[in-house]
Amino acid sequence: LFRFGDRFLYEAELEFEIEEGVTRTSLEYAQLDFFLNDNITVVAGKILLPFCVFGERLHPTWINRFASNPPLFGHGDGGVSPLLPILSDFGAMIRGSWAFEEGRAVTASLFVTQGPSVEAHDEEEEAEPHGTLLSSAFQLSSEGSEEEEEHGDLAPLPEFQFGGNAVDNNKDKMIGARLAWVMAPNFELDASAMTGAFDDEGSRLTGVNLAAEFRKGATEIRGEGFSLWYDVEEPAEEGEEHSEGTVRAKTGGYYLQAAHRRGPWEPVFRWTQTLGSSADGFEDRDGFYQVGFGLNYWFSPAIALMTGYEINQTADTDLPDRLLVHWSFGF
């Protein structure tokens, strides 16, 4: 975070990852905020999209109360590909906040970005979970259990990339908005939506989200869920390789999380579930759920030692459970 005078704030996140001995660097987001007045802020750059709450506000490890992201969001943490990455894209946004008496306020955000594109891979190249949205419930990336991108009569699994390139791939833009009702400091309710084309054919990705947060003393309860609709090629007729039409596929999921602070100790519970996916002409795809138990020790407001245990399960496949120990610093 860098502040320039009273009206400009620059914020960015640079990420380093080690995969198979290779260090990879990526720019999570980089945006310039201009404070027009006490109520309105104009934002431009590679911005964090205000669709859902977790990605924009909570994904930094020293803010997130659990040792890992909910498996709905992120970069394939633990070998599980999320339904949504941490959404960031090239574009602009205007946001506002209007306060009333007794801590009540309304906040609103409106954004326009380049929008998603379909990420292409060679047949033998393994798909990267970073920055992708998978229409399946989840894919396993552990050896010997990786799912193929097509399962007979199941809907295909397109991958969408956000912010992978500053150049737009079609004439359409992604537009979206979020509206929130705040009763500080105890309660907030958010609703958001987005829609945009991801190819020159006009195929669209659309999403809606609802999130809520409640705080009272040392107790914090939050949850959010979303549904996604996107166009896929309809099943081909017998004897034909491809179909000329498209159908709408649907997927989604939600998570609930509760934490309670007792001195420096903080137990955490999290439940996450995907609702599978479906499309006309295809068989429905089963969902996934995860139960997480955590215990944190806070040395300071921004330094914590976090432990967590995840129990993962699909309808027909046992996923590996995980024990995590996470040392988190905020600065």
Side-chain angles (χ1 to χ4, degrees):
L1 302 175
F2 299 93
R3 186 168 180 174
F4 305 94
D6 294 329
R7 291 190 177 271
F8 289 94
L9 173 68
Y10 177 78
E11 49 182 317
E13 180 179 337
L14 190 63
E15 187 174 273
F16 300 92
E17 297 179 350
I18 299 177
E19 297 180 6
E20 298 180 354
V22 177
T23 301
R24 301 187 180 189
T25 305
S26 61
L27 183 65
E28 188 84 14
Y29 71 97
Q31 63 187 50
L32 183 66
D33 299 12
F34 172 62
F35 304 108
L36 186 63
N37 54 43
D38 290 342
N39 302 103
I40 304 295
T41 303
V42 180
V43 184
K46 188 178 182 183
I47 63 176
L48 287 172
L49 304 189
F51 178 78
C52 299
V53 172
F54 184 86
E56 187 192 31
R57 300 181 185 175
L58 305 171
H59 81 273
T61 54
W62 59 276
I63 297 177
N64 185 13
R65 289 295 188 259
F66 204 84
S68 65
N69 293 344
L72 298 176
F73 311 99
H75 308 309
D77 186 26
V80 178
S81 295
L83 290 183
L84 281 175
I86 304 301
L87 290 178
S88 63
D89 199 5
F90 293 93
M93 172 171 58
I94 184 168
R95 64 192 341 157
S97 176
W98 297 269
F100 304 100
E101 296 180 356
E102 299 179 357
R104 290 170 171 79
V106 171
T107 67
S109 301
L110 178 66
F111 67 88
V112 179
T113 69
Q114 302 286 53
S117 60
V118 177
E119 189 170 19
H121 297 279
D122 296 333
E123 292 184 0
E124 299 181 355
E125 181 182 357
E126 183 177 346
E128 292 291 337
H130 180 85
T132 61
L133 177 153
L134 300 184
S135 64
S136 65
F138 282 89
Q139 281 188 312
L140 306 183
S141 61
S142 56
E143 183 177 355
S145 61
E146 182 177 356
E147 297 181 4
E148 299 295 332
E149 291 198 0
E150 293 188 10
H151 296 256
D153 292 328
L154 296 175
L157 306 178
E159 296 185 31
F160 298 94
Q161 185 178 49
F162 293 80
N165 197 320
V167 178
D168 202 355
N169 71 324
N170 56 59
K171 297 179 181 179
D172 192 71
K173 301 295 181 184
M174 172 163 278
I175 61 173
R178 181 169 67 203
L179 183 66
W181 171 248
V182 182
M183 296 171 54
N186 301 113
F187 179 76
E188 181 173 343
L189 181 65
D190 298 80
S192 57
M194 64 177 182
T195 185
F198 55 84
D199 60 23
D200 286 328
E201 306 300 324
S203 301
R204 301 193 72 80
L205 169 68
T206 301
V208 295
N209 160 262
L210 187 65
E213 176 182 329
F214 172 79
R215 286 194 181 99
K216 188 173 180 61
T219 300
E220 177 186 282
I221 302 173
R222 67 172 61 253
E224 64 178 307
F226 59 82
S227 294
L228 302 172
W229 294 266
Y230 49 92
D231 295 324
V232 295
E233 184 178 326
E234 67 180 352
E237 298 292 337
E238 186 175 353
E240 297 182 358
E241 292 186 2
H242 299 285
S243 171
E244 296 182 357
T246 61
V247 295
R248 292 289 271 173
K250 178 183 179 181
T251 189
Y254 67 93
Y255 85 95
L256 302 171
Q257 181 174 297
H260 181 72
R261 185 86 167 261
R262 297 285 293 182
W265 296 97
E266 184 179 42
V268 186
F269 172 79
R270 186 178 71 199
W271 169 274
T272 308
Q273 183 170 7
T274 68
L275 306 179
S277 60
S278 61
D280 291 340
F282 294 96
E283 293 181 12
D284 291 347
R285 191 179 298 275
D286 292 330
F288 163 94
Y289 74 84
Q290 179 188 92
V291 181
F293 303 91
L295 182 63
N296 307 329
Y297 185 87
W298 291 87
F299 295 91
S300 78
I303 302 177
L305 180 63
M306 300 180 175
T307 60
Y309 189 77
E310 299 172 350
I311 302 171
N312 301 298
Q313 184 69 51
T314 65
D316 56 2
T317 305
D318 288 331
L319 305 184
D321 297 337
R322 290 204 302 166
L323 174 66
L324 305 106
V325 179
H326 180 70
W327 186 233
S328 175
F329 295 82
F331 56 90

